[in-house]
Amino acid sequence: MKVLLAGDNVSGLAEELKKFGPDEIAVANSDQLADYTTESYAGVLADYIKQENPSLVLLGHSAIGKDLAPRVAARLGAGLVSDCIKINVDGGDFSFVHPIYAGKAIATYKVNSAVKMATLRPNVFPIEEAEGAASVVDFAPEIAASRTKVKEVIQQAGDRPELTEADIICSGGRGLGGPDGFGLIEELADTLGAAVGSSRAAVDAGWRDHQAQVGQTGKVVSPNLYIACGISGAIQHLAGMGSSKCIVGINKDPEANIFNVADYGIEGDLYKVVPALIEKLKEVNG
Amino acid sequence: MNIVACIKQTFDTEAKIVIDNGQVSDQGVNLIVNPYDEFAVEEAIRLKEKNGGEVVVVSVGGDKTQEALRYCLAMGADRAVLIQDPALDNTDNIGCATALAKLLAGMEYDLVFCGKEAVDDGAAQVPSMLAEKLDLPQVNVITELEVADNQATATREIDGGSEVIEVQLPVMLSAQKGLNEVRYPSLPGIMKAKRKELKVVSLADLELSADDVAAKTELVAAELPPARKAGQVLTGEVEEVVAQLVKLLQDEAKVI
Amino acid sequence: MDFSLSDDERMVQEMVRDFAQTELKPQAPTLDREHRMNLDNLTKMAELGLMGMNIPETYGGSETGVIPYSLAMTEVGRACAATAVTMSVTNMVAEVICTFGTEAQKRKYIPPLCSGEYFAGSFGLTESTAGSDLGGMKTSAIKEGDYYRLNGSKIFITSAEYAGVIIVWAVTNRKIQRTRRISAFLVEKDTPGLSIGKAEEKMGQRGSATNEVILEDCLVPAENLLGSEGDGFRIALMALDGGRIGIGSMAIGIGLEAIDYARDYARERMQFNQPIASFQAIQWQLADTYAELQSAQLMVLMAASLKQQKKPFTKEASMGKLLASESANRACYHAVQILGGNGYIAEYPVERLYRDARVTTIYEGTSEIQRLVIARHILGAF
């Protein structure tokens, strides 16, 4: 296993990577790689793959991975399976498991090109450390100029974790009754160090930015804990969070579909339940 | 300004998925224009309305895909091209991108729009593959766009925030929800759509062979995810219930 | 005989469904509760071409045809009956002007109705003494030079408080045979002498305003006479024939919405350890209701098809309106029954739908009048 580490001033990260046990770490260090741009990075990765000729290339299904992998795959004529939740290895043969229809079905793919590529869903594969004394080598290809220029990077306000990477997500829906209700969800999230999500209904009502939307036409998440407050549990929403390890549903409607999937359900007014829950969590956390 | 919008016809997002013999069945499923592609078409039409020019909407698909293209024509696109060929029935993203790229290579355009991904396979591959095949710069997952003086300034979503990208035209842009609010096709739009050109081309028309669009990935089998069982509903006074929940999350689920 | 919709018809149906479900339906309970129309919705509908569906493009219409109109009315009716009735009357007013108006009248009044510049059009026919019997009309119009002087009052006028133009019927000559006594006038809002009374408190369709319209020495330019003097009766009957297709289509929408809700509820509602949909008592109510609604819809669409082909459709429109409105009421009755106590409270939509359906057997000609029209056609002169 070899790792390509690309960026500007990233040599120091090689040490970090060693503890995950790769055989070799190639470092492409250049000020031309300071910003992520598709074309410059695609050139570096494609050149590295051509040099190494691996049977399998893996990237994260992150914003960068999603942008980069198909571009490189098209350049190299490699088959690509995106957003994998599992890779089966059978002898020298791989098969790739990728949820389709936003998780309403699970598909297994085979790739018939010599180089096979896949992007991996964040938060799904366990991270394990391994013994290893990887050698660190320089990789200095000619870097293609990028026609796109990054003018500005805007960090999301606040220090809550990114939805797709959060261990815990607290989400609100139509049951909040209005945009102000998200104040309570944010308070709960901050008590747990969680990200804040939203149902489509709340986004469509203009209560929350679409970046927070969880579901078929929003983000697909798989946290350890998903707390749905005032969310009925429409099929599109379940498609986005159904693979969460543990689901808690808080809803005043006993017929709400969320109770059909929740590990723990509380039937009641969220404006009573959530404040009490925040109190209790604070008490437990000391 | 000439603009191409690439669309895919997908299942309605509310469709129930049925697996038949290891494959997803399309029996009785309502088909729609992929929601992200609607943002792409809308943005293309808005730019045309502002700057003049032509919007061509293109797709790869079968007979039914004509409905999706007609819908875009009713929204206000000027003409449509459908690439239809039996050899494309079992192709994958790279095959589609190859066919689309060959079609676009013969057209004049300043901007190519796609949706950021299709809601069926959720792969998000075709936009970048198409850009690569056409040697175009790409900006994916955009939520804001300004086009002036042959330059596009686009805001795209990245993990934990967003970034503003500048690029000279021509460029491939893929649309994310939030880019615009998609219009409903008006009744006059629907009536006009049937008089607009919808051309169907085969691979031979594009001078491509079946090998050129051969799939590199193959869906071996699809299955339904294991059903989630309903858990327990906690009842009692609010304080009790909450205490019970916290204990369960700590001791049973071990998630906090 | 092919009962399938054409591609255009299906596209209109799908677009209106999408619009109505997304934009109108979420507001319906609030508009009902607050007795309020959302005028923005009417503007949006005009922009989509829904306010002049049988009007040529020359006058700003979308010229979509009568079958698409029926399909669209059903979809809007499903989502919000109060908005649907406003749409129905506005389309009817535009069509009446298009059929009987002079070129100048058409150019002046139809485009603002279609474009949304006028939120709505109104149909000022009914009076306290002239309901089913137009012979009881008391409002008078007396010619004075270039004007007609109108005096009297109209009741139950849909959308009058936000209408840009009201078609007002008045007696122009009391001395001749009753069918030639009345004439129709185009009365613009803000015409001196025209005032709009407060909206009635209604059982249903509460989002739509239903006003009294008072005419006190209201001087209407003679050029605003629609057709000729004495044409009023004929104009009213012809307008109502078309209006019946609109109201029938809307009634089907209300009925379908109610019974669809009840069907979904029956699948999930557990009693005696099983979904109530497994009981034959529930199944039969559902089966009968769907059979009735679907046959009523076929009848309404047949009337629409005849009208679209410019063939006589009076009898069919009456049959369709009668069947649709009566079966919509029964559908709502059964929907409430299937939901039990939940059907009777405002928390669930069938309570409102039941109230919304009720008036459909009354306006645009009562069920009794529909039967009269049908009987006359069947029996002929004897």
Side-chain angles (χ1 to χ4, degrees):
Chain A
M1 178 181 76
K2 296 186 178 182
V3 177
L4 173 64
L5 175 61
D8 185 24
N9 281 323
V10 290
S11 308
L13 295 173
E15 282 306 309
E16 282 276 313
L17 285 169
K18 276 186 187 172
K19 67 180 183 210
F20 302 109
D23 298 304
E24 186 180 290
I25 299 166
V27 182
N29 210 6
S30 163
D31 56 3
Q32 283 172 278
L33 298 174
D35 287 325
Y36 168 76
T37 56
T38 314
E39 291 170 277
S40 301
Y41 272 69
V44 171
L45 178 57
D47 285 349
Y48 185 66
I49 295 170
K50 277 186 221 155
Q51 173 186 305
E52 299 296 331
N53 198 25
S55 49
L56 182 63
V57 177
L58 302 176
L59 289 89
H61 196 65
S62 58
I64 289 179
K66 275 190 240 187
D67 184 68
L68 186 58
R71 183 112 196 178
V72 172
R75 189 167 302 177
L76 300 176
L80 167 66
V81 183
S82 301
D83 196 22
C84 295
I85 55 167
K86 196 175 168 203
I87 297 177
N88 299 313
V89 186
D90 182 13
D93 205 12
F94 299 100
S95 63
F96 301 86
V97 181
H98 161 50
I100 54 176
Y101 299 96
K104 285 192 271 185
I106 307 291
T108 303
Y109 290 85
K110 292 257 189 203
V111 178
N112 61 27
S113 54
V115 177
K116 302 174 199 328
M117 291 182 66
T119 62
L120 310 182
R121 178 175 290 194
N123 246 348
V124 170
F125 293 83
I127 297 169
E128 284 168 30
E129 297 193 5
E131 287 294 311
S135 53
V136 178
V137 298
D138 276 338
F139 180 65
E142 199 171 308
I143 294 171
S146 171
R147 288 171 285 184
T148 55
K149 301 272 180 283
V150 179
K151 296 307 283 183
E152 195 187 347
V153 175
I154 303 154
Q155 296 290 330
Q156 211 166 48
D159 49 6
R160 291 192 195 101
E162 167 70 8
L163 255 186
T164 49
E165 286 168 14
D167 288 328
I168 303 178
I169 294 172
C170 303
S171 270
R174 203 198 295 276
L176 291 176
D180 298 344
F182 271 99
L184 190 59
I185 304 299
E186 284 171 1
E187 199 184 330
L188 176 63
D190 291 341
T191 313
L192 289 160
V196 175
S198 165
S199 73
R200 176 176 165 173
V203 171
D204 285 351
W207 301 347
R208 201 76 186 167
D209 193 78
H210 68 91
Q211 290 227 22
Q213 185 178 321
V214 172
Q216 178 138 16
T217 51
K219 295 207 162 80
V220 177
V221 298
S222 45
N224 286 329
L225 173 59
Y226 189 94
I227 305 181
C229 308
I231 292 177
S232 63
I235 186 163
Q236 306 100 301
H237 191 73
L238 300 184
M241 43 65 88
S243 61
S244 305
K245 199 168 142 201
C246 175
I247 296 172
V248 173
I250 301 170
N251 206 301
K252 69 174 178 188
D253 176 9
E255 311 271 337
N257 196 35
I258 194 77
F259 293 126
N260 294 327
V261 295
D263 298 277
Y264 308 113
I266 296 181
E267 186 193 315
D269 181 356
L270 72 94
Y271 283 103
K272 293 200 180 98
V273 175
V274 176
L277 180 58
I278 293 169
E279 272 314 294
K280 186 72 196 173
L281 287 166
K282 281 185 179 158
E283 187 188 309
V284 171
N285 294 339
Chain B
M1 185 169 283
N2 294 320
I3 307 168
V4 179
C6 307
I7 67 149
K8 182 177 188 181
Q9 190 178 40
T10 57
F11 285 16
D12 192 325
T13 52
E14 286 172 42
K16 189 173 163 23
I17 301 298
V18 176
I19 305 287
D20 182 19
N21 207 8
Q23 299 290 328
V24 176
S25 162
D26 61 1
Q27 278 294 312
V29 173
N30 189 31
L31 299 172
I32 58 169
V33 177
N34 176 39
Y36 297 111
D37 299 346
E38 284 193 2
F39 297 117
V41 174
E42 175 67 36
E43 197 66 15
I45 295 170
R46 286 183 187 204
L47 282 170
K48 182 200 81 165
E49 285 168 348
K50 203 170 142 200
N51 303 307
E54 186 190 46
V55 173
V56 186
V57 43
V58 303
S59 190
V60 176
D63 291 336
K64 286 183 188 164
T65 312
Q66 292 202 12
E67 285 173 28
L69 290 168
R70 285 265 176 238
Y71 186 89
C72 300
L73 294 175
M75 282 175 71
D78 299 290
R79 61 187 179 90
V81 186
L82 172 65
I83 308 175
Q84 185 173 6
D85 200 291
L88 287 163
D89 286 352
N90 289 311
T91 194
D92 61 353
N93 290 297
I94 188 69
C96 285
T98 304
L100 286 170
K102 195 69 197 286
L103 172 69
L104 266 60
M107 295 165 60
E108 281 185 20
Y109 53 81
D110 304 290
L111 289 153
V112 177
F113 280 102
C114 298
K116 66 147 184 154
E117 66 183 61
V119 293
D120 47 14
D121 72 352
Q125 294 183 9
V126 169
S128 301
M129 288 174 163
L130 177 61
E132 169 67 19
K133 296 262 171 198
L134 292 169
D135 190 26
L136 288 177
Q138 67 187 52
V139 188
N140 279 315
V141 203
I142 66 167
T143 54
E144 279 176 57
L145 175 67
E146 267 182 55
V147 178
D149 302 331
N150 213 36
Q151 177 173 284
T153 308
T155 304
R156 81 179 205 96
E157 269 183 21
I158 55 173
D159 295 334
S162 56
E163 61 184 10
V164 181
I165 306 280
E166 267 182 17
V167 61
Q168 294 290 309
L169 306 188
V171 60
M172 190 296 299
L173 302 160
S174 76
Q176 161 71 313
K177 184 174 182 172
L179 178 61
N180 51 46
E181 214 170 298
V182 178
R183 73 191 65 193
Y184 298 93
S186 70
L187 298 183
I190 292 172
M191 302 310 282
K192 274 183 208 134
K194 61 182 167 190
R195 297 195 291 269
K196 292 180 178 172
E197 179 188 280
L198 194 166
K199 200 161 116 189
V200 180
V201 299
S202 66
L203 286 178
D205 295 330
L206 296 174
E207 294 172 350
L208 285 172
S209 70
D211 279 352
D212 293 330
V213 296
K216 296 197 186 296
T217 60
E218 181 200 351
L219 195 160
V220 189
E223 57 188 6
L224 295 178
R228 251 197 120 88
K229 287 193 288 287
Q232 45 184 311
V233 173
L234 313 175
T235 49
E237 288 300 310
V238 170
E239 279 70 25
E240 283 170 37
V241 172
V242 162
Q244 212 184 338
L245 174 66
V246 172
K247 194 159 166 42
L248 286 165
L249 292 177
Q250 283 178 316
D251 302 342
E252 193 179 88
K254 296 187 170 63
V255 287
I256 57 170
Chain C
M1 197 181 292
D2 185 359
F3 288 95
S4 55
L5 299 177
S6 73
D7 286 351
D8 293 343
E9 289 160 355
R10 206 174 52 247
M11 210 191 270
V12 170
Q13 182 185 43
E14 282 171 9
M15 181 281 280
V16 181
R17 178 177 300 158
D18 193 14
F19 169 79
Q21 291 295 310
T22 315
E23 310 281 333
L24 304 178
K25 188 174 170 180
Q27 299 176 24
T30 319
L31 299 184
D32 173 67
R33 203 164 45 243
E34 297 175 3
H35 297 222
R36 179 169 63 80
M37 174 55 50
N38 183 343
L39 298 178
D40 284 350
N41 290 340
L42 302 180
T43 311
K44 282 185 196 167
M45 289 164 73
E47 283 165 2
L48 290 175
L50 290 166
M51 292 305 194
M53 291 186 68
N54 298 312
I55 302 294
E57 243 181 284
T58 344
Y59 305 113
S62 53
E63 215 172 353
T64 334
V66 191
I67 291 173
Y69 172 66
S70 169
L71 299 168
M73 279 301 307
T74 299
E75 292 304 328
V76 178
R78 261 178 179 273
C80 178
T83 308
V85 70
T86 314
M87 169 178 160
S88 175
V89 176
T90 304
N91 269 280
M92 179 166 68
V93 166
E95 260 189 82
V96 169
I97 302 172
C98 201
T99 311
F100 297 99
T102 61
E103 189 59 26
Q105 288 170 341
K106 291 187 204 179
R107 296 219 169 266
K108 185 165 180 196
Y109 294 108
I110 301 178
L113 284 167
C114 295
S115 70
E117 186 189 329
Y118 291 166
F119 290 117
S122 282
F123 197 79
L125 185 63
T126 302
E127 295 183 13
S128 57
T129 53
S132 295
D133 176 17
L134 294 179
M137 190 174 289
K138 294 215 167 97
T139 298
S140 63
I142 296 166
K143 183 122 192 242
E144 293 179 6
D146 292 340
Y147 288 88
Y148 282 89
R149 183 182 293 275
L150 270 62
N151 275 294
S153 74
K154 299 284 169 182
I155 58 165
F156 303 156
I157 307 307
T158 302
S159 314
E161 64 185 56
Y162 34 80
V165 63
I166 305 176
I167 305 181
V168 174
W169 276 262
V171 178
T172 35
N173 187 345
R174 255 174 229 298
K175 296 182 185 121
I176 51 174
Q177 53 159 320
R178 46 195 298 277
T179 53
R180 297 292 300 165
R181 273 177 209 167
I182 59 175
S183 306
F185 298 89
L186 295 165
V187 183
E188 287 179 42
K189 67 167 181 168
D190 302 331
T191 305
L194 170 74
S195 56
I196 310 294
K198 80 168 189 48
E200 301 289 347
E201 288 259 348
K202 303 195 297 292
M203 175 193 272
Q205 306 199 352
R206 292 172 161 184
S208 125
T210 305
N211 307 88
E212 189 179 0
V213 170
I214 303 129
L215 302 135
E216 290 168 310
D217 289 325
C218 180
L219 289 178
V220 176
E223 71 212 35
N224 281 20
L225 171 69
L226 196 56
S228 310
E229 264 193 35
D231 278 351
F233 198 77
R234 188 167 68 96
I235 293 173
L237 290 193
M238 200 141 165
L240 289 171
D241 282 348
R244 282 163 193 160
I245 293 176
I247 297 303
S249 307
M250 174 185 75
I252 290 158
I254 300 171
L256 283 173
E257 184 67 14
I259 204 65
D260 281 356
Y261 194 91
R263 175 198 59 193
D264 294 347
Y265 182 91
R267 282 182 183 138
E268 283 174 16
R269 169 73 174 174
M270 302 291 285
Q271 289 288 276
F272 307 103
N273 294 321
Q274 48 196 314
I276 59 170
S278 62
F279 300 119
Q280 204 174 49
I282 302 294
Q283 291 173 4
W284 285 25
Q285 291 187 62
L286 291 170
D288 285 347
T289 305
Y290 278 101
E292 279 192 29
L293 284 173
Q294 187 154 355
S295 45
Q297 184 166 30
L298 285 175
M299 191 69 235
V300 172
L301 285 170
M302 182 183 173
S305 168
L306 288 169
K307 184 177 178 218
Q308 193 162 301
Q309 296 172 65
K310 311 221 183 298
K311 291 181 182 164
F313 66 97
T314 303
K315 180 183 71 178
E316 289 75 11
S318 281
M319 287 177 163
K321 199 265 183 182
L322 173 67
L323 292 172
S325 59
E326 295 287 343
S327 62
N329 272 280
R330 278 191 295 274
C332 290
Y333 172 88
H334 286 300
V336 170
Q337 195 64 23
I338 291 168
L339 265 75
N342 285 335
Y344 196 64
I345 59 173
E347 185 95 17
Y348 289 82
V350 296
E351 180 269 342
R352 170 176 48 82
L353 293 165
Y354 199 2
R355 291 186 287 104
D356 284 348
R358 189 61 193 87
V359 74
T360 61
T361 65
I362 297 168
Y363 59 24
E364 243 75 349
T366 60
S367 288
E368 292 68 31
I369 289 291
Q370 307 308 332
R371 292 185 175 101
L372 192 84
V373 172
I374 298 164
R376 276 186 191 152
H377 273 85
I378 297 167
L379 292 167
F382 60 91

